[in-house]
Amino acid sequence: MHILEHRALRGPNYYSRYQALYMRLDIEELEQRPSDKVAGMAERLETLIPSLYEHRCSVGEAGGFLQRVRGGTYAGHLVEHLAIELQNLVGFSVGYGKTVDSYDPGIYNVVYRYRDEATGLAAGTAAVEIAKQIYDGEDVDLQPHIDRLKEVRDANALGPSTGSIVAAARDRGIPAYNLTEGTSYTQLGHGIKQRRFQATVTDASGIIGHSIADDKDWTKQILGDAGVPVPRGQTCYSFEEAREAADWIGWPVVTKPLSGNHGRGVTTDITTMEDLQSGYDAAVARLREGTDGVIVESYIKGEDHRMLVIGGKLVAAARRRPAHVQGDGQSTIQQLINRENEDPRRGVGHENLLTQIHVDEQTHRMLEQAGLTLDTVLPEGELAFLKSTANISTGGTASDLTDDVHPEVRFAMERIGRLVGLDVIGIDLLAETLSEPLENQSAGVVEVNAGPGFRMHMSPTHGTPRPVGQHIVDMLFPDPTDNGRIPITAITGTNGKTTTTRLTSHILRQAGRSVGMGCTGTVEIDNHVILRGDYSGPAAAQAVLREPTVEHAVLEVARGGIMRRGLGFDECDVGVLLNIASDHLGERDIHTLEELARCKTVVVDAVRREGGYCVLNADDPLVMDQGTHWARGEIIYFTMDPENPALTQHLSELGMVFAVKNGKIVMLRGRVTVEICAVNDVPIAFEGHAPFNVQNAMAAAAAATAHGIEIDDIRAGLLTFHPTPAQMPGRTNYFEADGVKCLIDYGHNVPALKALRPLVNGLATQRRIGVATAPGNRRDEDLVALGAELAGMCDLLFVYETDARGRAPGETAKLIHEGAAQADTSCEVETIHDEHAATDRAIDAAQRGDFLLLLVDDIDGATRRLKGRSFPHQAELAQP
């Protein structure tokens, strides 16, 4: 079994509405195994991974997958279920999967859901290895695979605090994106509605407040001046100063680094000079670069509490106890530690709710102070503390006391948040109890924390879990109806995608929206180009939706992006399906128009059900068949025929239709007709000679209507959008240079050329000279047919080649040339492999009255050549 392809798909894709992992497997060799090799496979699988019994599969009941195995299934199906269950075994709950065969014998496409991309991909690789071992009758050791997946999970997955915020956001329908690989820097929401945070520090956290929290001396001064009880202390820069401070403060004391977190370098209840030296050295070892101070302060007797204030409100309180063990009268302290670390809630770092207890110098010192060693057998019920601080990250435990907090204590904690100036703050309070005012007991705030951990509150060792992640989300998005999303328009089809995307964006900008657009050619933010290249896939969605100023996203969606990486978003507000025609057939197991249609209908399948709209071409049979079937939300049709009988029922039900009626683009709803503008007044329609652009204009108008744009703004947008390189680069750009007409376009398939022919015939009055090519990733017959279509449009044709895409050099141009030469036309054909040379030859051949059709990639270069061309009467290139 071999993995031919292995990648992640983001958002809905050809195989699934979920974000999923995709594998293309060659399993022909395994399928040839004799039947005795795979006998008893179901029993082996259930013994190896008992939880596989829970897989219902297509049978629809527990044990369904194993029934399928007993009845005979293919290896790709086994890989699918193994990849799913391996993820579940390391803590990622997933269930969706699908395996289908391909046009190639022994090749299967496997798709399964993931939570963490890296872990999902690693699970797929492990599943293939395990499946091969099972088919070969070998013994399978599952543990190394699980250990490896845990390593990948821990290296890539979000920590518990960040994860709780992301989970709470998604519960409210707010999208979440990791912004920097390997960090917890996360974006919630889209565009102008987005909020960002890192760990538990939000984009509203004040830098001054963060600096105060990072400086314990500064914190004590601010709180002490405000009347908040804090321990008496001094910052020391030598051990001699520390010794003098301890004598002045009074024993016992505490030592800690001036800057620090997670209790690192903190030593408490110091009563001797020897322990003071050890505590001072421990603090110095944890000093950050640029700081050299050690705080010595009075030791406050009382329980250690963490108070969590979010958005000015106390939302959680926990009593923390340092890592400890309780004696049973039989076991040594080391044995008790080992037993405690076997608790499944304890893990390495932040992987679990609690952290494993590690024996270190501090542990030995704590035991020594208590007159104990690791070999001591503790009496039953007696506690031995192993750390001096109560942090969860050092093995401590936590008990929730939120409901026990006295109103005066609550007020004091919320006041501290305001004094320091942090929207999220963890306050370390030493107090005998939280149920009495601080002034009535021995109590003091020992430090505050910016970006505090949430584990102790989310899953306390004892008491009620608190939804702290939800509190963060509610603070960032105070309106409970706000899901942080901006309107998304997704546009797909075989031809016209880029024009419709640009025109829709133009209409929205005319209506005052700040628009982010991704299409073939560029990503633009409010008409400013930020990226150049083919951005008709999920990379454009990523760039646009992360832009902080964008109010509305308009995204071109091509089949290649859907197949390679999915949509890049989970749902859209408006999905536009322009047409389905032959292009790229034969790639990625899409061989028929019906399969191509299903791929492109992913866009309308991703429209949100409530309040969403699908814009569909009623003149395209495949769009009407599959587009209407998969569409979600409300449908708006567009058509060149206002009497289209397929739309009678739709109109009778008050559905919307955009049509051409009496030479005007109109909107029909029931019996109401609203005129938008005359076709002849729409610049890209070329006075009706470009019917394909009339369709694009109706699609853009329908999309804008779906977003609530007024008819006057739609009209203004249609009338001010011109076929120039500035507004429509490479799409029906028309020029005249001293009597020579030129049309630059990106027609790259037969349907596009057929749509372009009426425009060429309407503009050309004399000889037609063409320059054309196509990407090499088309079928031979498609390239030959392209050549034949070009020959029918041109009197003189220059064929060039720029993008072989896997073909031998010159092969693409040769096939196009053959198609043109074999066509029953009088077209003269010449192959010039270089685009610029072919363009120069065409321009040199042109005479006054001729028509140039340039289907080129280098639009700017072709335009410059036209401007620099000397015709019989020199003239500047001018817009007609």
Side-chain angles (χ1 to χ4, degrees):
M1 183 187 301
H2 304 287
I3 299 176
L4 303 177
E5 289 184 68
H6 201 191
R7 64 180 184 275
L9 302 166
R10 301 175 188 274
N13 53 74
Y14 179 52
Y15 298 104
S16 166
R17 292 203 74 255
Y18 302 113
Q19 63 178 15
L21 277 304
Y22 166 81
M23 286 194 300
R24 187 170 171 85
L25 293 177
D26 181 353
I27 62 174
E28 186 173 11
E29 179 187 354
L30 292 188
E31 290 190 325
Q32 296 173 357
R33 291 284 194 275
S35 58
D36 61 340
K37 280 279 190 179
V38 295
M41 183 182 290
E43 288 68 27
R44 289 187 63 200
L45 285 170
E46 191 170 8
T47 300
L48 178 66
I49 310 177
S51 50
L52 278 173
Y53 181 78
E54 301 300 323
H55 289 217
R56 303 169 66 87
C57 202
S58 57
V59 178
E61 62 184 22
F65 168 63
L66 297 177
Q67 289 182 42
R68 290 283 307 277
V69 174
R70 291 188 184 95
T73 191
Y74 34 89
H77 189 208
L78 174 60
V79 168
E80 169 203 325
H81 282 266
L82 286 173
I84 289 171
E85 193 54 33
L86 286 171
Q87 292 182 84
N88 279 280
L89 290 175
V90 295
F92 292 118
S93 177
V94 292
Y96 175 85
K98 187 176 183 67
T99 302
V100 296
D101 60 3
S102 70
Y103 282 81
D104 300 313
I107 305 297
Y108 286 84
N109 298 305
V110 180
V111 174
Y112 55 92
R113 199 173 184 184
Y114 69 92
R115 301 289 181 184
D116 171 68
E117 181 178 318
T119 307
L121 289 169
T125 302
V128 171
E129 295 176 7
I130 293 169
K132 287 170 66 176
Q133 290 179 300
I134 291 173
Y135 267 83
D136 288 336
E138 299 176 5
D139 292 332
V140 178
D141 185 357
L142 196 63
Q143 195 57 47
H145 294 289
I146 298 298
D147 292 342
R148 169 59 182 155
L149 288 176
K150 285 184 176 181
E151 291 176 5
V152 176
R153 175 201 65 188
D154 294 343
N156 294 277
L158 297 174
S161 299
T162 304
S164 71
I165 300 171
V166 169
R170 288 177 173 159
D171 285 344
R172 273 186 51 177
I174 301 171
Y177 306 90
N178 181 259
L179 294 173
T180 309
E181 187 175 348
T183 74
S184 59
Y185 186 36
T186 303
Q187 174 181 318
L188 302 180
H190 295 152
I192 198 168
K193 290 189 173 184
Q194 69 179 264
R195 299 298 303 270
R196 296 185 178 189
F197 69 96
Q198 196 274 326
T200 59
V201 178
T202 77
D203 53 16
S205 298
I207 185 63
I208 296 178
H210 198 280
S211 298
I212 292 171
D214 203 35
D215 187 325
K216 295 177 177 59
D217 216 17
W218 193 1
T219 300
K220 285 201 306 179
Q221 178 187 339
I222 289 174
L223 298 185
D225 290 347
V228 176
V230 293
R232 188 182 187 193
Q234 176 182 326
T235 301
C236 305
Y237 298 91
S238 68
F239 178 69
E240 283 301 313
E241 289 187 17
R243 183 183 60 77
E244 293 174 2
D247 288 337
W248 165 69
I249 293 168
W251 304 79
V253 295
V254 174
T255 57
K256 61 178 73 173
L258 181 60
S259 296
N261 53 33
H262 296 295
R264 298 184 181 101
V266 178
T267 306
T268 64
D269 197 13
I270 296 173
T271 57
T272 67
M273 198 64 67
E274 181 181 358
D275 287 344
L276 179 65
Q277 180 71 65
S278 298
Y280 182 85
D281 292 342
V284 168
R286 287 292 183 176
L287 289 176
R288 297 180 185 176
E289 185 177 350
T291 64
D292 55 1
V294 173
I295 292 178
V296 179
E297 64 185 19
S298 57
Y299 174 68
I300 299 176
K301 292 184 178 180
E303 298 266 30
D304 186 325
H305 299 89
R306 166 58 63 85
M307 318 295 284
L308 181 63
V309 176
I310 295 176
K313 300 295 182 183
L314 180 73
V315 299
R319 180 183 62 217
R320 302 183 298 179
R321 282 183 173 162
H324 62 276
V325 291
Q326 184 172 354
D328 60 5
Q330 299 178 358
S331 305
T332 66
I333 291 177
Q334 182 64 66
Q335 290 171 330
L336 293 171
I337 293 173
N338 295 341
R339 190 179 306 158
E340 185 66 28
N341 283 337
E342 291 174 359
D343 185 335
R345 294 177 300 173
R346 291 192 182 272
V348 177
H350 296 286
E351 73 168 358
N352 282 357
L353 304 176
L354 299 173
T355 303
Q356 292 207 344
I357 301 170
H358 294 285
V359 175
D360 56 16
E361 291 183 9
Q362 189 180 89
T363 305
H364 288 292
R365 185 180 67 81
M366 294 290 295
L367 292 175
E368 184 179 348
Q369 286 180 337
L372 306 171
T373 70
L374 291 173
D375 296 324
T376 300
V377 175
L378 275 182
E380 185 172 355
E382 184 174 320
L383 297 181
F385 287 94
L386 307 170
K387 305 289 180 183
S388 61
T389 59
N391 296 76
I392 301 296
S393 58
T394 58
T397 60
S399 298
D400 177 73
L401 299 177
T402 307
D403 295 333
D404 298 336
V405 178
H406 191 278
E408 289 295 328
V409 177
R410 179 181 298 273
F411 172 78
M413 298 302 104
E414 293 174 350
R415 180 169 174 250
I416 290 170
R418 294 189 291 270
L419 288 168
V420 175
L422 287 172
D423 58 341
V424 182
I425 185 171
I427 302 166
D428 290 343
L429 171 68
L430 293 179
E432 298 171 57
T433 178
L434 297 181
S435 59
E436 295 288 339
L438 300 183
E439 61 186 12
N440 295 346
Q441 57 178 308
S442 173
V445 174
V446 293
E447 65 178 285
V448 299
N449 299 269
F454 289 171
R455 276 197 301 171
M456 72 187 77
H457 307 297
M458 293 161 41
S459 301
T461 318
H462 309 286
T464 305
R466 302 293 167 174
V468 287
Q470 179 182 325
H471 287 291
I472 293 284
V473 174
D474 290 345
M475 176 185 68
L476 297 177
F477 299 89
D479 181 353
T481 65
D482 183 7
N483 61 13
R485 296 173 182 268
I486 62 172
I488 298 175
T489 303
I491 299 167
T492 194
T494 300
N495 295 306
K497 299 186 296 296
T498 303
T499 297
T500 306
T501 299
R502 288 186 172 278
L503 178 52
T504 303
S505 300
H506 177 73
I507 293 171
L508 291 169
R509 284 197 301 271
Q510 290 288 106
R513 307 294 197 273
S514 175
V515 181
M517 180 197 70
C519 67
T520 301
T522 60
V523 172
E524 299 179 16
I525 305 300
D526 252 0
N527 222 23
H528 297 280
V529 176
I530 63 167
L531 293 169
R532 295 187 185 276
D534 184 357
Y535 283 96
S536 58
Q542 176 177 308
V544 168
L545 296 177
R546 292 180 179 181
E547 191 71 24
T549 61
V550 170
E551 297 174 335
H552 195 130
V554 182
L555 305 170
E556 177 183 344
V557 179
R559 62 171 297 285
I562 295 173
M563 297 301 295
R564 285 191 299 271
R565 298 288 282 174
L567 292 180
F569 52 85
D570 57 352
E571 66 177 19
C572 57
D573 299 83
V574 177
V576 181
L577 181 54
L578 296 170
N579 43 63
I580 305 293
S582 177
D583 194 24
H584 290 283
L585 294 182
E587 288 186 59
R588 298 188 181 275
D589 269 350
I590 293 181
H591 295 267
T592 68
L593 285 177
E594 288 71 21
E595 290 170 342
L596 179 61
R598 180 64 192 102
C599 175
K600 290 186 178 293
T601 54
V602 164
V603 169
V604 294
D605 190 19
V607 170
R608 60 187 176 95
R609 292 185 182 275
E610 298 295 328
Y613 288 85
C614 293
V615 177
L616 304 179
N617 183 355
D619 299 332
D620 188 308
L622 271 175
V623 172
M624 288 297 286
D625 178 27
Q626 294 209 31
T628 302
H629 174 75
W630 291 101
R632 295 168 179 250
E634 183 176 340
I635 296 177
I636 304 175
Y637 291 107
F638 63 92
T639 177
M640 298 293 285
D641 178 12
E643 305 301 325
N644 188 329
L647 303 179
T648 302
Q649 182 178 350
H650 183 70
L651 285 169
S652 70
E653 297 172 350
L654 297 182
M656 273 191 285
V657 174
F658 282 73
V660 175
K661 191 173 185 178
N662 300 324
K664 296 181 178 180
I665 295 176
V666 299
M667 181 186 73
L668 309 174
R669 188 157 201 171
R671 296 182 179 181
V672 176
T673 299
V674 178
E675 292 186 359
I676 299 177
C677 62
V679 170
N680 286 353
D681 291 338
V682 177
I684 65 171
F686 289 92
E687 298 183 343
H689 291 303
F692 59 93
N693 269 345
V694 178
Q695 290 182 314
N696 294 336
M698 288 191 290
T705 300
H707 288 297
I709 304 301
E710 298 291 336
I711 292 295
D712 287 344
D713 290 323
I714 294 173
R715 180 184 300 112
L718 294 177
L719 298 182
T720 56
F721 189 70
H722 295 274
T724 62
Q727 289 188 305
M728 282 176 59
R731 303 301 190 275
T732 58
N733 300 153
Y734 180 62
F735 308 96
E736 287 187 15
D738 195 24
V740 174
K741 302 175 182 179
C742 178
L743 183 71
I744 300 178
D745 195 69
Y746 186 63
H748 59 287
N749 55 51
V750 172
L753 294 181
K754 287 183 180 295
L756 199 62
R757 180 179 278 199
L759 178 58
V760 173
N761 292 338
L763 296 174
T765 56
Q766 294 183 198
R767 192 172 54 151
R768 296 167 296 178
I769 304 171
V771 178
T773 188
N777 59 340
R778 268 66 171 175
R779 299 176 302 179
D780 290 1
E781 58 264 38
D782 294 332
L783 294 173
V784 170
L786 184 75
E789 188 67 30
L790 287 165
M793 298 171 64
C794 302
D795 302 299
L796 176 60
L797 176 64
F798 297 96
V799 178
Y800 70 96
E801 182 174 298
T802 58
D803 193 356
R805 295 197 186 182
R807 289 185 180 271
E811 184 180 359
T812 300
K814 180 182 178 182
L815 289 167
I816 296 173
H817 188 126
E818 289 177 357
Q822 295 168 7
D824 187 17
T825 69
S826 58
C827 177
E828 299 178 28
V829 188
E830 182 179 343
T831 296
I832 301 175
H833 290 286
D834 179 72
E835 176 186 336
H836 294 163
T839 302
D840 288 341
R841 285 279 285 113
I843 293 174
D844 290 341
Q847 300 294 323
R848 293 192 65 183
D850 287 346
F851 179 86
L852 285 173
L853 175 62
L854 303 182
L855 307 179
V856 297
D857 296 321
D858 185 5
I859 301 158
D860 292 339
T863 304
R864 286 195 301 270
R865 285 174 172 78
L866 282 166
K867 287 182 177 179
R869 172 70 165 87
S870 296
F871 292 105
H873 300 285
Q874 178 67 33
E876 289 293 325
L877 187 67
Q879 183 69 30

